[in-house]
Amino acid sequence: MTSKTFLTAHGAVYIFFALALFLAPQLLWPQYGLQVNDRYAVFLSQHNSIFLGGIGVISFLFRTAEPGSDAARTILTGLMWTNVLGAAVTLYACIAGLFTGFGWSDPAFFALLAGLCAAQLRKNG
């Protein structure tokens, strides 16, 4: 897959989750075993969407970086480590019993994205 295609897909996934966490936290979080039982929990979900949306926008903005360039390597490295961190934090949530139900999918999802970023890095040298 080309860097442009990868960064477009990566950005789209992050934008999708940013919108879902902003617009429908009461529908999404219970699937992960979490309760959204007050306006503060809703706000924290919406606040989290800032960062997910930002990662999506940054991915889109770097789609045109020349493959193999310093910019391409830098954005792919940053995204890889962001996804590694996401895998670690969500795996902790699963092990600690915070995430249940569909929650197991988050560490797998972040690990997959980290692996895809690493593959893109190897490909783009």
Side-chain angles (χ1 to χ4, degrees):
M1 160 180 349
T2 67
S3 288
K4 184 174 184 173
T5 301
F6 175 75
L7 290 171
T8 300
H10 190 278
V13 167
Y14 270 83
I15 293 291
F16 171 79
F17 278 102
L19 290 171
L21 291 178
F22 185 81
L23 298 173
Q26 296 92 337
L27 296 174
L28 188 61
W29 284 122
Q31 303 305 311
Y32 291 82
L34 300 175
Q35 295 179 15
V36 180
N37 51 12
D38 62 23
R39 64 187 181 128
Y40 302 105
V42 170
F43 172 73
L44 286 175
S45 181
Q46 292 171 330
H47 190 270
N48 188 47
S49 71
I50 295 167
F51 307 106
L52 294 175
I55 292 168
V57 169
I58 290 168
S59 295
F60 282 128
L61 291 174
F62 275 87
R63 292 177 308 162
T64 58
E66 188 66 34
S69 68
D70 286 342
R73 283 190 299 278
T74 300
I75 189 64
L76 290 169
T77 301
L79 293 174
M80 181 189 69
W81 284 109
T82 297
N83 288 309
V84 166
L85 182 59
V89 170
T90 56
L91 180 61
Y92 165 77
C94 290
I95 291 169
L98 300 170
F99 272 5
T100 59
F102 199 62
W104 61 267
S105 67
D106 260 27
F109 168 76
F110 282 116
L112 173 66
L113 285 179
L116 291 173
C117 286
Q120 284 298 125
L121 270 169
R122 282 191 300 277
K123 181 179 172 185
N124 285 295

